[in-house]
Amino acid sequence: MDKLKYERELASKGFKYICGVDEVGRGPLAGPVVCAAVIMPLDEIIEGVDDSKKLSAKKRETLSAEIAKRAVCLNICRIGPEQIDELNILEATKLCMKRAVEGLEIQPDFVLTDGNMTLDISIPQQSIVKGDSLSYSIGAASIAAKVFRDKLMDEYAEVYPGYGFEKHKGYGTAVHIQAIKEHGLTPIHRRSFTKKWQ
């Protein structure tokens, strides 16, 4: 599979700075949604870049370091539980993606996003379903966002012990739900996601 298919097509039309954007953390009961926007050089790709969910944690960390080192520019943005509750998760994710793109040191001239979301930006864009598997740039963004969020949840595990954030990263596992029932909600829990246990 040609992971640079979309990027090559855009480059052939004269687009120079092609940005991939992806999010992680739409589904969890706790923690922020995190979005990464990245412009990668297209002359030499990093082998192994793929949908972050298909990779081991160790592989993701190795790739993330390489992506950060080689990226033309990279920006990671997060939106926390309070704003997620206020806006709803879809709007919070769109806003997070928009901020990630707008915070890049170099403004892209084309944006590729994972999924089917249209962002409120003036830059030309295309959304690609399963883009993290099909586009090199989106795959790189997916890995950067996932590694950043996982590290954040590991830090929260130390602040709020007993919930297992270091294992489930805030997702609604049986262990996590049982911890909520026993200990109540923390400040990083999304109230709109956890109404039944409040």
PDB file of all heavy atoms in Angstrom, residues 33-58:
ATOM      1  N   VAL A  33      -9.191  15.022  25.356  1.00  0.00           N
ATOM      2  CA  VAL A  33      -9.030  14.589  23.976  1.00  0.00           C
ATOM      3  C   VAL A  33      -7.771  15.296  23.490  1.00  0.00           C
ATOM      4  O   VAL A  33      -7.534  16.461  23.826  1.00  0.00           O
ATOM      5  CB  VAL A  33     -10.268  14.928  23.102  1.00  0.00           C
ATOM      6  CG1 VAL A  33     -10.542  16.416  23.027  1.00  0.00           C
ATOM      7  CG2 VAL A  33     -10.122  14.355  21.699  1.00  0.00           C
ATOM      8  N   VAL A  34      -6.921  14.568  22.761  1.00  0.00           N
ATOM      9  CA  VAL A  34      -5.631  15.098  22.308  1.00  0.00           C
ATOM     10  C   VAL A  34      -5.561  15.016  20.786  1.00  0.00           C
ATOM     11  O   VAL A  34      -5.918  13.986  20.200  1.00  0.00           O
ATOM     12  CB  VAL A  34      -4.462  14.305  22.945  1.00  0.00           C
ATOM     13  CG1 VAL A  34      -3.131  14.690  22.315  1.00  0.00           C
ATOM     14  CG2 VAL A  34      -4.415  14.530  24.449  1.00  0.00           C
ATOM     15  N   CYS A  35      -5.117  16.099  20.168  1.00  0.00           N
ATOM     16  CA  CYS A  35      -4.977  16.128  18.709  1.00  0.00           C
ATOM     17  C   CYS A  35      -3.567  16.538  18.330  1.00  0.00           C
ATOM     18  O   CYS A  35      -2.983  17.404  18.986  1.00  0.00           O
ATOM     19  CB  CYS A  35      -5.960  17.120  18.097  1.00  0.00           C
ATOM     20  SG  CYS A  35      -7.683  16.714  18.443  1.00  0.00           S
ATOM     21  N   ALA A  36      -3.058  15.912  17.296  1.00  0.00           N
ATOM     22  CA  ALA A  36      -1.742  16.279  16.771  1.00  0.00           C
ATOM     23  C   ALA A  36      -1.881  16.701  15.315  1.00  0.00           C
ATOM     24  O   ALA A  36      -2.667  16.108  14.565  1.00  0.00           O
ATOM     25  CB  ALA A  36      -0.774  15.100  16.881  1.00  0.00           C
ATOM     26  N   ALA A  37      -1.142  17.731  14.956  1.00  0.00           N
ATOM     27  CA  ALA A  37      -1.029  18.165  13.563  1.00  0.00           C
ATOM     28  C   ALA A  37       0.442  18.132  13.209  1.00  0.00           C
ATOM     29  O   ALA A  37       1.276  18.634  13.975  1.00  0.00           O
ATOM     30  CB  ALA A  37      -1.595  19.577  13.401  1.00  0.00           C
ATOM     31  N   VAL A  38       0.765  17.532  12.084  1.00  0.00           N
ATOM     32  CA  VAL A  38       2.176  17.386  11.730  1.00  0.00           C
ATOM     33  C   VAL A  38       2.388  17.532  10.225  1.00  0.00           C
ATOM     34  O   VAL A  38       1.566  17.075   9.426  1.00  0.00           O
ATOM     35  CB  VAL A  38       2.731  16.019  12.232  1.00  0.00           C
ATOM     36  CG1 VAL A  38       2.053  14.849  11.547  1.00  0.00           C
ATOM     37  CG2 VAL A  38       4.233  15.935  12.059  1.00  0.00           C
ATOM     38  N   ILE A  39       3.449  18.212   9.877  1.00  0.00           N
ATOM     39  CA  ILE A  39       3.901  18.275   8.480  1.00  0.00           C
ATOM     40  C   ILE A  39       5.197  17.465   8.423  1.00  0.00           C
ATOM     41  O   ILE A  39       6.175  17.810   9.087  1.00  0.00           O
ATOM     42  CB  ILE A  39       4.169  19.726   8.017  1.00  0.00           C
ATOM     43  CG1 ILE A  39       2.883  20.556   8.122  1.00  0.00           C
ATOM     44  CG2 ILE A  39       4.705  19.737   6.582  1.00  0.00           C
ATOM     45  CD1 ILE A  39       3.091  22.045   7.857  1.00  0.00           C
ATOM     46  N   MET A  40       5.161  16.380   7.663  1.00  0.00           N
ATOM     47  CA  MET A  40       6.324  15.498   7.557  1.00  0.00           C
ATOM     48  C   MET A  40       7.029  15.707   6.214  1.00  0.00           C
ATOM     49  O   MET A  40       6.374  15.961   5.200  1.00  0.00           O
ATOM     50  CB  MET A  40       5.890  14.032   7.657  1.00  0.00           C
ATOM     51  CG  MET A  40       5.259  13.636   8.972  1.00  0.00           C
ATOM     52  SD  MET A  40       6.356  13.833  10.402  1.00  0.00           S
ATOM     53  CE  MET A  40       7.648  12.616  10.040  1.00  0.00           C
ATOM     54  N   PRO A  41       8.372  15.580   6.190  1.00  0.00           N
ATOM     55  CA  PRO A  41       9.062  15.567   4.894  1.00  0.00           C
ATOM     56  C   PRO A  41       8.647  14.309   4.131  1.00  0.00           C
ATOM     57  O   PRO A  41       8.493  13.247   4.739  1.00  0.00           O
ATOM     58  CB  PRO A  41      10.542  15.536   5.272  1.00  0.00           C
ATOM     59  CG  PRO A  41      10.594  15.051   6.679  1.00  0.00           C
ATOM     60  CD  PRO A  41       9.282  15.381   7.322  1.00  0.00           C
ATOM     61  N   LEU A  42       8.450  14.441   2.839  1.00  0.00           N
ATOM     62  CA  LEU A  42       7.908  13.316   2.062  1.00  0.00           C
ATOM     63  C   LEU A  42       8.958  12.603   1.221  1.00  0.00           C
ATOM     64  O   LEU A  42       8.660  11.642   0.519  1.00  0.00           O
ATOM     65  CB  LEU A  42       6.775  13.823   1.153  1.00  0.00           C
ATOM     66  CG  LEU A  42       5.635  14.560   1.886  1.00  0.00           C
ATOM     67  CD1 LEU A  42       4.596  15.045   0.895  1.00  0.00           C
ATOM     68  CD2 LEU A  42       4.995  13.661   2.954  1.00  0.00           C
ATOM     69  N   ASP A  43      10.212  13.075   1.310  1.00  0.00           N
ATOM     70  CA  ASP A  43      11.254  12.451   0.478  1.00  0.00           C
ATOM     71  C   ASP A  43      11.775  11.153   1.077  1.00  0.00           C
ATOM     72  O   ASP A  43      12.287  10.293   0.369  1.00  0.00           O
ATOM     73  CB  ASP A  43      12.408  13.433   0.250  1.00  0.00           C
ATOM     74  CG  ASP A  43      12.939  14.023   1.560  1.00  0.00           C
ATOM     75  OD1 ASP A  43      12.277  13.846   2.605  1.00  0.00           O
ATOM     76  OD2 ASP A  43      14.001  14.662   1.534  1.00  0.00           O
ATOM     77  N   GLU A  44      11.636  10.992   2.390  1.00  0.00           N
ATOM     78  CA  GLU A  44      12.125   9.774   3.035  1.00  0.00           C
ATOM     79  C   GLU A  44      11.202   9.443   4.208  1.00  0.00           C
ATOM     80  O   GLU A  44      11.205  10.127   5.224  1.00  0.00           O
ATOM     81  CB  GLU A  44      13.560   9.976   3.540  1.00  0.00           C
ATOM     82  CG  GLU A  44      14.185   8.699   4.069  1.00  0.00           C
ATOM     83  CD  GLU A  44      15.583   8.945   4.621  1.00  0.00           C
ATOM     84  OE1 GLU A  44      16.128  10.045   4.460  1.00  0.00           O
ATOM     85  OE2 GLU A  44      16.108   8.002   5.228  1.00  0.00           O
ATOM     86  N   ILE A  45      10.381   8.400   4.058  1.00  0.00           N
ATOM     87  CA  ILE A  45       9.393   8.120   5.099  1.00  0.00           C
ATOM     88  C   ILE A  45       9.986   7.243   6.208  1.00  0.00           C
ATOM     89  O   ILE A  45      10.951   6.520   5.997  1.00  0.00           O
ATOM     90  CB  ILE A  45       8.096   7.477   4.526  1.00  0.00           C
ATOM     91  CG1 ILE A  45       8.331   6.052   4.051  1.00  0.00           C
ATOM     92  CG2 ILE A  45       7.526   8.325   3.407  1.00  0.00           C
ATOM     93  CD1 ILE A  45       7.040   5.301   3.769  1.00  0.00           C
ATOM     94  N   ILE A  46       9.373   7.342   7.372  1.00  0.00           N
ATOM     95  CA  ILE A  46       9.777   6.521   8.513  1.00  0.00           C
ATOM     96  C   ILE A  46       9.037   5.192   8.414  1.00  0.00           C
ATOM     97  O   ILE A  46       7.801   5.159   8.411  1.00  0.00           O
ATOM     98  CB  ILE A  46       9.420   7.220   9.848  1.00  0.00           C
ATOM     99  CG1 ILE A  46      10.120   8.585   9.935  1.00  0.00           C
ATOM    100  CG2 ILE A  46       9.786   6.332  11.033  1.00  0.00           C
ATOM    101  CD1 ILE A  46       9.586   9.476  11.051  1.00  0.00           C
ATOM    102  N   GLU A  47       9.775   4.108   8.301  1.00  0.00           N
ATOM    103  CA  GLU A  47       9.150   2.788   8.178  1.00  0.00           C
ATOM    104  C   GLU A  47       8.371   2.448   9.447  1.00  0.00           C
ATOM    105  O   GLU A  47       8.842   2.696  10.553  1.00  0.00           O
ATOM    106  CB  GLU A  47      10.214   1.709   7.936  1.00  0.00           C
ATOM    107  CG  GLU A  47      10.822   1.742   6.548  1.00  0.00           C
ATOM    108  CD  GLU A  47       9.816   1.573   5.426  1.00  0.00           C
ATOM    109  OE1 GLU A  47       8.873   0.762   5.585  1.00  0.00           O
ATOM    110  OE2 GLU A  47       9.944   2.260   4.404  1.00  0.00           O
ATOM    111  N   GLY A  48       7.183   1.887   9.275  1.00  0.00           N
ATOM    112  CA  GLY A  48       6.397   1.430  10.417  1.00  0.00           C
ATOM    113  C   GLY A  48       5.297   2.376  10.846  1.00  0.00           C
ATOM    114  O   GLY A  48       4.464   2.026  11.686  1.00  0.00           O
ATOM    115  N   VAL A  49       5.269   3.590  10.282  1.00  0.00           N
ATOM    116  CA  VAL A  49       4.206   4.534  10.639  1.00  0.00           C
ATOM    117  C   VAL A  49       2.871   3.987  10.148  1.00  0.00           C
ATOM    118  O   VAL A  49       2.709   3.633   8.991  1.00  0.00           O
ATOM    119  CB  VAL A  49       4.480   5.939  10.047  1.00  0.00           C
ATOM    120  CG1 VAL A  49       3.246   6.831  10.155  1.00  0.00           C
ATOM    121  CG2 VAL A  49       5.665   6.585  10.750  1.00  0.00           C
ATOM    122  N   ASP A  50       1.911   3.910  11.079  1.00  0.00           N
ATOM    123  CA  ASP A  50       0.610   3.302  10.788  1.00  0.00           C
ATOM    124  C   ASP A  50      -0.386   3.825  11.812  1.00  0.00           C
ATOM    125  O   ASP A  50      -0.034   4.614  12.700  1.00  0.00           O
ATOM    126  CB  ASP A  50       0.727   1.767  10.891  1.00  0.00           C
ATOM    127  CG  ASP A  50      -0.366   1.035  10.108  1.00  0.00           C
ATOM    128  OD1 ASP A  50      -1.395   1.663   9.762  1.00  0.00           O
ATOM    129  OD2 ASP A  50      -0.201  -0.170   9.853  1.00  0.00           O
ATOM    130  N   ASP A  51      -1.617   3.352  11.717  1.00  0.00           N
ATOM    131  CA  ASP A  51      -2.622   3.633  12.740  1.00  0.00           C
ATOM    132  C   ASP A  51      -2.034   3.246  14.097  1.00  0.00           C
ATOM    133  O   ASP A  51      -1.597   2.113  14.295  1.00  0.00           O
ATOM    134  CB  ASP A  51      -3.871   2.794  12.420  1.00  0.00           C
ATOM    135  CG  ASP A  51      -4.926   2.842  13.505  1.00  0.00           C
ATOM    136  OD1 ASP A  51      -4.736   3.540  14.515  1.00  0.00           O
ATOM    137  OD2 ASP A  51      -5.954   2.171  13.334  1.00  0.00           O
ATOM    138  N   SER A  52      -2.019   4.195  15.042  1.00  0.00           N
ATOM    139  CA  SER A  52      -1.359   3.957  16.337  1.00  0.00           C
ATOM    140  C   SER A  52      -1.945   2.768  17.091  1.00  0.00           C
ATOM    141  O   SER A  52      -1.262   2.112  17.866  1.00  0.00           O
ATOM    142  CB  SER A  52      -1.442   5.211  17.206  1.00  0.00           C
ATOM    143  OG  SER A  52      -2.793   5.515  17.524  1.00  0.00           O
ATOM    144  N   LYS A  53      -3.227   2.463  16.835  1.00  0.00           N
ATOM    145  CA  LYS A  53      -3.896   1.356  17.546  1.00  0.00           C
ATOM    146  C   LYS A  53      -3.339  -0.004  17.132  1.00  0.00           C
ATOM    147  O   LYS A  53      -3.519  -0.990  17.826  1.00  0.00           O
ATOM    148  CB  LYS A  53      -5.419   1.410  17.309  1.00  0.00           C
ATOM    149  CG  LYS A  53      -6.088   2.643  17.903  1.00  0.00           C
ATOM    150  CD  LYS A  53      -7.590   2.636  17.708  1.00  0.00           C
ATOM    151  CE  LYS A  53      -8.022   2.892  16.279  1.00  0.00           C
ATOM    152  NZ  LYS A  53      -7.655   4.228  15.767  1.00  0.00           N
ATOM    153  N   LYS A  54      -2.675  -0.051  15.980  1.00  0.00           N
ATOM    154  CA  LYS A  54      -2.131  -1.323  15.490  1.00  0.00           C
ATOM    155  C   LYS A  54      -0.727  -1.601  16.029  1.00  0.00           C
ATOM    156  O   LYS A  54      -0.179  -2.663  15.780  1.00  0.00           O
ATOM    157  CB  LYS A  54      -2.065  -1.302  13.956  1.00  0.00           C
ATOM    158  CG  LYS A  54      -3.409  -1.228  13.254  1.00  0.00           C
ATOM    159  CD  LYS A  54      -3.186  -1.193  11.755  1.00  0.00           C
ATOM    160  CE  LYS A  54      -4.495  -1.065  10.995  1.00  0.00           C
ATOM    161  NZ  LYS A  54      -4.248  -0.904   9.546  1.00  0.00           N
ATOM    162  N   LEU A  55      -0.155  -0.633  16.728  1.00  0.00           N
ATOM    163  CA  LEU A  55       1.241  -0.742  17.152  1.00  0.00           C
ATOM    164  C   LEU A  55       1.356  -0.969  18.656  1.00  0.00           C
ATOM    165  O   LEU A  55       0.502  -0.528  19.431  1.00  0.00           O
ATOM    166  CB  LEU A  55       1.987   0.552  16.791  1.00  0.00           C
ATOM    167  CG  LEU A  55       1.928   0.972  15.319  1.00  0.00           C
ATOM    168  CD1 LEU A  55       2.458   2.392  15.151  1.00  0.00           C
ATOM    169  CD2 LEU A  55       2.725   0.008  14.443  1.00  0.00           C
ATOM    170  N   SER A  56       2.416  -1.623  19.070  1.00  0.00           N
ATOM    171  CA  SER A  56       2.669  -1.802  20.500  1.00  0.00           C
ATOM    172  C   SER A  56       3.090  -0.467  21.104  1.00  0.00           C
ATOM    173  O   SER A  56       3.550   0.434  20.395  1.00  0.00           O
ATOM    174  CB  SER A  56       3.783  -2.829  20.721  1.00  0.00           C
ATOM    175  OG  SER A  56       5.030  -2.287  20.291  1.00  0.00           O
ATOM    176  N   ALA A  57       2.944  -0.342  22.429  1.00  0.00           N
ATOM    177  CA  ALA A  57       3.317   0.900  23.114  1.00  0.00           C
ATOM    178  C   ALA A  57       4.786   1.229  22.873  1.00  0.00           C
ATOM    179  O   ALA A  57       5.155   2.384  22.626  1.00  0.00           O
ATOM    180  CB  ALA A  57       3.024   0.780  24.609  1.00  0.00           C
ATOM    181  N   LYS A  58       5.628   0.205  22.924  1.00  0.00           N
ATOM    182  CA  LYS A  58       7.070   0.421  22.732  1.00  0.00           C
ATOM    183  C   LYS A  58       7.363   0.922  21.320  1.00  0.00           C
ATOM    184  O   LYS A  58       8.157   1.845  21.124  1.00  0.00           O
ATOM    185  CB  LYS A  58       7.817  -0.894  22.999  1.00  0.00           C
ATOM    186  CG  LYS A  58       9.320  -0.727  23.075  1.00  0.00           C
ATOM    187  CD  LYS A  58      10.009  -2.024  23.479  1.00  0.00           C
ATOM    188  CE  LYS A  58      11.521  -1.825  23.520  1.00  0.00           C
ATOM    189  NZ  LYS A  58      12.228  -3.056  23.849  1.00  0.00           N
TER     190      LYS A  58
END
